[in-house]
Amino acid sequence: QVELVESGGGSVQAGGSLRLSCAASGHSSNVVAWFRQAPGKEREGVAALFARYATTFYADSVKGRFTIFQDSAKNTVYLQMNSLKPEDSAMYYCAADLKGGWSTAANYNYWGQGTQVTVSS
């Protein structure tokens, strides 16, 4: 069992930055990822961290602006979001325990409750 708790969302102007946190408890997971979902849209994979291989993946829409990283001592995975755009506005979710492709939401067994990010123009 893995429990995930997200925090760090908020409202910012375009060009600003936010750092999201995903605190995990329970058994360790092979992969932790961030997804987002805007109203009326599919849940979209944003970034994933394969801790054992120190490998990261990003959606094309966020490459160069977002960074996923972890603090192992705190069992927390972060998503640093820079140069935010209005189209980044969404509910952001943390997911863990992957079986399959990293960017498919159905391939994860555990989810957090989400944290809202709103970017104004």
Side-chain angles (χ1 to χ4, degrees):
Q1 189 76 15
V2 178
E3 183 178 0
L4 304 171
V5 179
E6 302 98 332
S7 62
S11 297
V12 295
Q13 291 191 327
S17 298
L18 283 173
R19 178 177 291 182
L20 306 183
S21 301
C22 173
S25 61
H27 77 78
S28 60
S29 176
N30 56 348
V31 180
V32 177
W34 285 96
F35 281 74
R36 66 187 180 188
Q37 189 167 21
K41 293 190 176 182
E42 298 281 326
R43 192 166 293 194
E44 172 192 22
V46 174
L49 172 65
F50 288 65
R52 178 178 296 182
Y53 307 105
T55 301
T56 56
F57 295 91
Y58 296 93
D60 287 344
S61 58
V62 306
K63 281 181 182 176
R65 300 188 298 121
F66 290 12
T67 303
I68 186 171
F69 62 99
Q70 68 174 356
D71 182 334
S72 298
K74 295 182 178 179
N75 210 16
T76 299
V77 173
Y78 300 93
L79 184 68
Q80 177 67 41
M81 306 187 296
N82 298 328
S83 302
L84 282 162
K85 304 175 181 180
E87 51 264 44
D88 294 318
S89 297
M91 185 70 80
Y92 281 72
Y93 298 91
C94 179
D97 199 23
L98 172 67
K99 290 176 173 61
W102 77 266
S103 61
T104 300
N107 291 341
Y108 292 84
N109 288 321
Y110 300 103
W111 290 86
Q113 81 289 349
T115 186
Q116 179 68 40
V117 172
T118 302
V119 184
S120 58
S121 57

